[in-house]
Amino acid sequence: MLYSIDALSKKIEEAIQHISFGSKPGSLYDPISYALSVGGKRVRPLLVLLAANMFGGEVDKSLKPAIGIEIFHNFTLLHDDLMDKSDMRRGMPAVHKKWDANAAILSGDAMLIESYRHIASVHSGILPQIISLFSQTAMEVCQGQQLDMDFEKRSDVTESEYIEMITLKTAVLLACSSKMGALLANASLNDAELLYNYGINIGLAFQLKDDLLDVYGDSKTFGKNIGGDIVSNKKTYLLIKALKTSDKKQYSELLKWISAEKFDKTEKIESVKNIYNELNLKIIAENLIEKYYLAALDCLSSINVADERKKELISLSENLMYREK
């Protein structure tokens, strides 16, 4: 049976609603329930289930590890928001704002433990392979987050360094999700690796699109304040490209805003965005997103299953590519 994205999304939401973390102390478990309840695209568990379904695997048996991936992802968001001092997540107060920093740390730790418990529920024959894949990915995500923080102190970050960072911080988890679904369905190692590479490319396109939406999106649909990356001097693709391609006047203007300790947020966002516009960075970024998107589709085209079985995964890829939030 081939499931639609909507049908799989319903299974995921129902499973999340029925997770029992524990009741006491509420100060530990309430932030976890809150973090998972505020929604999100559920891309990672969807990738697990879509991949498993594509190869004829039993979706219901893949559901628990898929939820484990989603719990892990949300754990990283609790810690990321705290480290990045981000007040909003999906249009709602971040956990460290609704509770405090300690809650974001400890509840996040509990989520990490719970994610392993879910993922370890797979059958014993595939367990070592799944745990190895997930553990490697979890460490790579930490590496990516550290690089992201290191970049905040540097003004000479290169495009290739940035791509390496978002590969680790974002893309590897989408790749892990895709490959995990394939492994759970007993796909060939070659097809599983093709799905991993698909996840890397769609993950890069996804993060670059996120960078773009932070500047050019609509705050009502994006779920976060527009221009947050500019305000915090985050080394996004747009800023790195701007520093590299700007003329002397533009470069001086960028450095002025980057070094300013006191400033009007709206003025800074508008000034930096104007430089991005002058350098045509929106179009340049969109072309790079398209490159990774097409590379992801190329990986899918090489997988040894009927095209009919790939349709939902292609549809999800299109949704990620052309999303506005």
Side-chain angles (χ1 to χ4, degrees), residues 81 86-94 96-97 223-225:
D81 287 344
S86 297
D87 293 347
M88 301 291 288
R89 171 64 62 179
R90 297 166 182 154
M92 301 287 286
H96 71 94
K97 295 300 292 184
K224 292 189 287 187
N225 294 328

Side-chain angles (χ1 to χ4, degrees), residues 4 15 34 67 87 89 129 140 174 192 209 213 223:
S4 68
Y34 171 79
I67 299 303
D87 293 347
R89 171 64 62 179
Q129 205 170 353
E140 287 173 336
L174 275 71
K209 179 77 173 185
L213 288 172

Side-chain angles (χ1 to χ4, degrees), residues 77-91:
L77 299 183
L78 263 66
H79 286 190
D80 285 2
D81 287 344
L82 177 60
M83 287 184 270
D84 293 343
K85 299 180 177 62
S86 297
D87 293 347
M88 301 291 288
R89 171 64 62 179
R90 297 166 182 154

Side-chain angles (χ1 to χ4, degrees), residues 113-170:
I113 296 165
E114 190 63 34
S115 69
Y116 267 96
R117 184 180 297 170
H118 273 68
I119 287 166
S121 68
V122 302
H123 67 82
S124 58
I126 196 71
L127 179 60
Q129 205 170 353
I130 294 294
I131 289 293
S132 176
L133 171 65
F134 180 63
S135 296
Q136 175 185 328
T137 301
M139 185 58 73
E140 287 173 336
V141 171
C142 293
Q143 292 168 1
Q145 176 65 8
Q146 185 62 58
L147 287 175
D148 194 17
M149 292 189 295
D150 290 347
F151 289 175
E152 292 178 9
K153 305 166 190 173
R154 291 175 50 193
S155 59
D156 61 345
V157 179
T158 65
E159 291 176 43
S160 61
E161 285 180 311
Y162 179 72
I163 294 300
E164 178 192 15
M165 184 273 288
I166 63 172
T167 297
L168 293 167
K169 184 174 177 180
T170 300

Side-chain angles (χ1 to χ4, degrees), residues 188-257:
S188 71
L189 291 180
N190 184 62
D191 281 344
E193 199 58 33
L194 282 167
L195 261 184
Y196 186 87
N197 291 331
Y198 155 81
I200 291 292
N201 283 290
I202 205 67
L204 290 171
F206 179 87
Q207 183 57 55
L208 288 163
K209 179 77 173 185
D210 215 47
D211 290 355
L212 200 62
L213 288 172
D214 188 84
V215 178
Y216 293 100
D218 182 338
S219 60
K220 292 179 181 178
T221 56
F222 190 44
K224 292 189 287 187
N225 294 328
I226 295 300
D229 289 345
I230 292 175
V231 170
S232 63
N233 298 327
K234 204 163 188 65
K235 300 303 189 302
T236 64
Y237 175 78
L238 294 168
L239 180 56
I240 291 166
K241 194 74 173 175
L243 289 168
K244 181 181 178 182
T245 60
S246 57
D247 59 27
K248 288 184 178 180
K249 181 181 177 183
Q250 292 164 332
Y251 188 78
S252 176
E253 178 83 357
L254 285 170
L255 289 186
K256 181 193 81 172
W257 286 114

Side-chain angles (χ1 to χ4, degrees), residues 4 7 12 43-44 47 57 62 80 131 164 169 177 204 239 243 285 287 299 301 305 314:
S4 68
I12 290 167
V43 174
R44 293 147 193 88
L47 284 171
S62 300
D80 285 2
I131 289 293
E164 178 192 15
K169 184 174 177 180
S177 302
L204 290 171
L239 180 56
L243 289 168
N287 288 339
C299 291
S301 70
V305 298
I314 291 172

